[in-house]
Amino acid sequence: AGIGKCVAMDLARRNARTILACRSQERGQAAVEEIRAATGNPAVVLRLLDTSSLRSVRAFAQAVMREEKRLDVLVNNAGVTGLPFAITPEGLEMTFTTNYLGPFLLTNLLLG
């Protein structure tokens, strides 16, 4: 939704292979179908990613490195605000991990 969906739509309109990295399978798949229908680009795919989980970030990065020939653009757009204080299963503060640590780790893992 929001800015991320608009960016993905624009990239798909430019005929780019576009990977939507989403936490929700249901919402992500709906966005993929909408973007494919609006752009006619069948190369829009969904991959699950939760930046609040460093394990999820590592798994996503490994899959991208294994499955994709190259990565030209990375848009780190995920973020949360206003969450109550919470600790992730990895022992990290949830908002900080979601907004900073997860995207930082993802970027570094994808530099290859």
Side-chain angles (χ1 to χ4, degrees), residues 32-47:
V32 165
E33 291 170 16
E34 181 182 339
I35 292 168
R36 284 179 181 166
T39 65
N41 183 345
V44 178
V45 297
L46 173 65
R47 299 287 181 263

Side-chain angles (χ1 to χ4, degrees), residues 6-24:
C6 288
V7 169
M9 185 79 74
D10 186 62
L11 291 169
R13 278 194 181 107
R14 295 167 190 256
N15 210 31
R17 177 168 169 74
T18 306
I19 302 170
L20 276 64
C22 302
R23 283 181 296 215
S24 166

